Amino acid sequence: NAGVTQTPKFQVLKTGQSMTLQCAQDMNHEYMSWYRQDPGMGLRLIHYSVGAGITDQGEVPNGYNVSRSTTEDFPLRLLSAAPSQTSVYFCASSPDRNYGYTFGSGTRLTVV
Amino acid sequence: GDSVTQMEGPVTLSEEAFLTINCTYTATGYPSLFWYVQYPGEGLQLLLKATKADDKGSNKGFEATYRKETTSFHLEKGSVQVSDSAVYFCALHASGGYNKLIFGAGTRLAVHP
């Protein structure tokens, strides 16, 4: 099993550009989430999903879109990148609320 | 809303010292509680968990007990090693219809020989 795979690992964007961060898991997990990690602020939840076709907003959803058309994939779209979106992004998945989440290795995004 | 509060770091210890990292939470219902660890340049790894009151989670010498009366889930280890140097995150997964994993701010641990 590959676990949770995130691509790309690094990305530099110009302000106003759009892009999609990819996340795929091969464990048939229903729950998937996107977090951003900024120094001194821990991990903040952007969007999450409890199954294909079901998504909801977390703490900091503005500027990001998600969709969940399959169980395996949960892409995160940046609509118009801003310097405030410079961060490390983590995708995670879990089979249920008691199991614990498996995290990807992260995408380091810089917006200039 | 639900939240997790951790003691601020960094925590600096000598090898073989006793470790406690405090974690308290606010949540409705009966959340599941977790500790995650992040080594430099890596993603988060699940360290241990407890899913109901009075449960004790343990792994790699680390322990934490789910205390509902004090809404706490403190992380302890009897004898730390240099290899334990990392950032530790306390987290809760809310119960009921709130299917979100919420993290504390993290506590950096540095262990010196």
Side-chain angles (χ1 to χ4, degrees), chain B residues 61-82:
Chain B
F62 291 90
E63 293 183 341
T65 301
Y66 189 144
R67 302 287 189 198
K68 187 160 180 63
E69 64 275 13
T70 55
T71 62
S72 65
F73 193 53
H74 305 321
L75 183 68
E76 296 182 336
K77 187 175 185 183
S79 176
V80 294
Q81 305 299 312
V82 172

Side-chain angles (χ1 to χ4, degrees), chain A residues 2-61:
Chain A
V4 178
T5 302
Q6 290 185 239
T7 56
K9 292 192 182 302
F10 302 93
Q11 183 70 49
V12 178
L13 287 179
K14 294 182 179 179
T15 297
Q17 287 185 316
S18 63
M19 79 160 293
T20 299
L21 278 61
Q22 301 292 344
C23 176
Q25 53 93 5
D26 61 357
M27 298 172 284
N28 202 33
H29 287 173
E30 291 295 327
Y31 293 6
M32 296 187 75
S33 297
W34 276 103
Y35 294 87
R36 58 178 290 173
Q37 185 176 28
D38 302 295
M41 301 190 73
L43 279 85
R44 293 183 291 170
L45 182 64
I46 305 171
H47 286 284
Y48 65 102
S49 169
V50 297
I54 306 169
T55 63
D56 205 346
Q57 296 181 350
E59 304 170 72
V60 289

Side-chain angles (χ1 to χ4, degrees), chain B residues 76-95:
Chain B
E76 296 182 336
K77 187 175 185 183
S79 176
V80 294
Q81 305 299 312
V82 172
S83 57
D84 294 326
S85 299
V87 181
Y88 292 82
F89 293 92
C90 185
L92 72 83
H93 199 299
S95 61

Side-chain angles (χ1 to χ4, degrees), chain B residues 11-84:
Chain B
V11 174
T12 304
L13 295 173
S14 298
E15 205 165 25
E16 299 184 359
F18 185 86
L19 168 70
T20 300
I21 300 178
N22 290 338
C23 171
T24 58
Y25 67 90
T26 301
T28 55
Y30 302 92
S32 297
L33 302 175
F34 304 87
W35 277 100
Y36 286 82
V37 59
Q38 185 178 33
Y39 298 101
E42 299 184 9
L44 278 73
Q45 302 174 24
L46 178 64
L47 181 59
L48 54 84
K49 65 179 181 179
T51 59
K52 61 183 187 295
D54 299 325
D55 268 2
K56 177 185 283 189
S58 62
N59 186 25
K60 299 180 181 179
F62 291 90
E63 293 183 341
T65 301
Y66 189 144
R67 302 287 189 198
K68 187 160 180 63
E69 64 275 13
T70 55
T71 62
S72 65
F73 193 53
H74 305 321
L75 183 68
E76 296 182 336
K77 187 175 185 183
S79 176
V80 294
Q81 305 299 312
V82 172
S83 57
D84 294 326

